[in-house]
Amino acid sequence: MRKSYGDPIAEDLRFVVKSVVGEENFIDMQPNRSNNFCCGGGGGFLQSGFKDARLEYGRLKDQQIQATKADYCIAGCHNCHAQIHELSEHYGAEYGVVHLWTLICLSLGVLGPKEREYLRDDLKEVNVFHPEME
Amino acid sequence: MTDQPIILGSVKKDTFLDKVKELLPDGGNLNLCLTCGACSSGCPATGLENMDPRKFLRMAALGMDEEIKKTNWVWMCTMCQRCIYVCPMQINIPQLVFNARALWPREERPKGILGSCDMALRNESCSAMGTEPEDFKFVVEDVLAEYQEAQPEFADMQAPVDKQGAEFFLNQNSREPVTEPDEMVPLWKILHLAGVDWTYGSKGWGGENYCMFLADDDAWKQITSTSAKQAEDLGCKTFLNTE
Ligand code: SF4
Ligand code: SF4
């Protein structure tokens, strides 16, 4: 987001996230914005076969996320999602990693039981839309 | 690799660095390095393969093209561009890395990236999983019908493929239609509730482009052009890249 369109557009996305999870539940990682670190899933790294190097690259990102003590990390794309998900398991912190669309629909009350693959137990049963679909 | 002392000879003409400079606006500022190290100190790839961005640039500047051609590190820089952001001279190291990837014989580039690029070239979906256009269309229609019925609040929700004249053209990462189709639905719901007029394309719907990561410029262009042309043929005003 910030790479293609710059920090101002990323600020709009912050507005969306805060509106969805509530201002008090939003924690920016440090450093952030254009100073932030890449997770290591991009540029083809995820498919390059250099797994150990990729997890080592992601150590910084994992530490950043752990330092926020947040329960969930929102990932902006599929590469990030896959990489951060793996970091969460590999380094043992086990925070959830979600797509933004999941949280938007959860907050709107329209997230069905089969659309919750990446929610953890704490949110799996919350405000389920058409639970009979299970 | 660089445990050997570096012997400085006369710097060759027409080095790799010279060639990349010709390609980039302002030569990518590749001549302006102050060797301050700001790039390396904030690069998560620093230390992998005994390499870091400043070192990579210095090696290129010294004409050490053989070493540049050999290091696996070019596949470990994610081209995140953080080094450009912190560099006092805005030096474009990721472009240097990208062009170094292109020095590798195509079939020797990492198999995972190569395979995904070749899959995308197999048919007009441009999907890294090789999914055919008809299969994509089938999955979308099937999932949509299921949700329209099971969640009557969304009985009018649409997920069109090739809708002529739609405002927005959306692409789609192949992982969802192929391995977790229910994950496509939340985005459809958001677009529906926001009253957005959108469409997928039967051609060029795949959102990922591994040919770009592979540094295969022709294939990269082919995939991007297929998507762009489909959006154009459908008369869409805005291309929404969801990847
Ligand atoms: S930050 Fe820029 S000037 Fe400093 S060492 Fe890196 S490339 Fe050179
Ligand atoms: S673009 Fe590459 S060299 Fe620059 S900071 Fe990112 S990973 Fe490091």
Side-chain angles (χ1 to χ4, degrees):
Chain A
M1 179 58 78
R2 56 126 184 124
K3 247 199 304 188
S4 311
Y5 302 107
D7 285 340
I9 297 284
E11 231 43 63
D12 289 353
L13 206 54
R14 275 186 174 72
F15 170 80
V16 173
V17 174
K18 285 178 191 170
S19 307
V20 166
V21 304
E23 182 99 41
E24 66 283 6
N25 291 318
F26 175 74
I27 314 165
D28 235 327
M29 55 183 91
Q30 304 292 334
N32 52 55
R33 301 178 168 80
S34 283
N35 260 326
N36 210 328
F37 301 114
C38 169
C39 65
F45 209 168
L46 203 60
Q47 292 77 17
S48 70
F50 301 110
K51 184 180 171 191
D52 293 344
R54 172 167 59 77
L55 291 170
E56 189 53 37
Y57 185 116
R59 184 189 293 274
L60 258 178
K61 175 57 63 187
D62 177 71
Q63 286 168 351
Q64 266 185 301
I65 297 170
Q66 289 205 35
T68 64
K69 300 199 162 51
D71 298 319
Y72 283 90
C73 172
I74 302 173
C77 86
H78 289 78
N79 276 321
C80 308
H81 186 275
Q83 166 79 345
I84 299 173
H85 206 270
E86 196 175 334
L87 294 174
S88 151
E89 284 172 7
H90 178 77
Y91 291 108
E94 308 280 340
Y95 41 80
V97 187
V98 280
H99 298 290
L100 184 54
W101 62 63
T102 307
L103 291 188
I104 293 177
C105 284
L106 179 64
S107 75
L108 288 168
V110 295
L111 194 69
K114 287 159 59 176
E115 303 155 62
R116 300 181 173 235
E117 176 75 18
Y118 297 106
L119 293 180
R120 300 185 315 166
D121 290 346
D122 53 355
L123 290 177
K124 268 274 193 274
E125 313 289 331
V126 173
N127 207 10
V128 183
F129 187 60
H130 288 282
E132 75 284 355
M133 260 186 97
E134 193 73 69
Chain B
M1 149 174 59
T2 48
D3 294 342
Q4 300 294 321
I6 294 168
I7 317 272
L8 296 180
S10 55
V11 175
K12 290 164 274 176
K13 279 197 202 105
D14 261 351
T15 57
F16 167 61
L17 188 77
D18 291 329
K19 290 190 194 113
V20 177
K21 276 196 311 215
E22 275 166 31
L23 294 176
L24 300 181
D26 298 323
N29 291 347
L30 293 170
N31 260 357
L32 303 180
C33 178
L34 315 167
T35 69
C36 67
C39 51
S40 297
S41 68
C43 167
T46 286
L48 302 177
E49 298 285 308
N50 191 24
M51 186 63 77
D52 63 70
R54 178 177 63 172
K55 187 167 170 182
F56 190 77
L57 178 63
R58 295 322 305 150
M59 288 170 67
L62 293 170
M64 298 171 70
D65 291 5
E66 284 314 306
E67 287 80 355
I68 291 279
K69 263 183 224 167
K70 263 184 287 179
T71 177
N72 284 334
W73 189 76
V74 295
W75 304 103
M76 299 175 182
C77 157
T78 61
M79 316 210 192
C80 70
Q81 307 190 352
R82 188 182 194 274
C83 51
I84 308 181
Y85 182 75
V86 298
C87 172
M89 309 308 288
Q90 303 290 292
I91 293 175
N92 200 333
I93 291 176
Q95 274 290 354
L96 193 65
V97 171
F98 179 83
N99 283 281
R101 288 185 179 191
L103 295 175
W104 287 48
R106 192 176 188 276
E107 59 297 346
E108 285 174 27
R109 299 178 199 174
K111 279 197 183 59
I113 308 177
L114 181 68
S116 295
C117 171
D118 285 345
M119 276 292 183
L121 296 171
R122 261 175 40 170
N123 59 58
E124 288 185 303
S125 293
C126 301
S127 149
M129 295 178 132
T131 317
E132 299 278 346
E134 308 81 73
D135 295 339
F136 173 62
K137 206 161 174 261
F138 175 81
V139 172
V140 168
E141 284 167 1
D142 192 49
V143 174
L144 180 68
E146 182 195 349
Y147 276 84
Q148 282 172 332
E149 197 191 321
Q151 302 181 351
E153 293 87 340
F154 287 94
D156 296 334
M157 180 167 74
Q158 297 298 320
V161 180
D162 290 341
K163 177 179 175 193
Q164 199 70 37
E167 174 91 15
F168 294 95
F169 182 93
L170 249 79
N171 58 12
Q172 168 71 57
N173 185 289
S174 305
R175 189 167 95 190
E176 277 100 23
V178 177
T179 64
E180 42 185 30
D182 291 299
E183 282 291 316
M184 294 191 288
V185 178
L187 182 56
W188 297 351
K189 288 181 174 172
I190 295 164
L191 294 167
H192 173 72
L193 293 173
V196 175
D197 178 20
W198 68 281
T199 186
Y200 287 131
S202 60
K203 298 175 187 167
W205 58 264
E208 61 282 342
N209 192 334
Y210 288 96
C211 299
M212 172 176 75
F213 298 148
L214 190 66
D216 179 343
D217 286 356
D218 293 338
W220 172 8
K221 186 173 167 199
Q222 180 183 331
I223 284 173
T224 307
S225 311
T226 305
S227 293
K229 181 168 181 304
Q230 186 68 5
E232 228 168 72
D233 289 351
L234 293 172
C236 302
K237 292 194 188 64
T238 308
F239 190 106
L240 269 188
N241 185 10
T242 56
E243 193 47 39

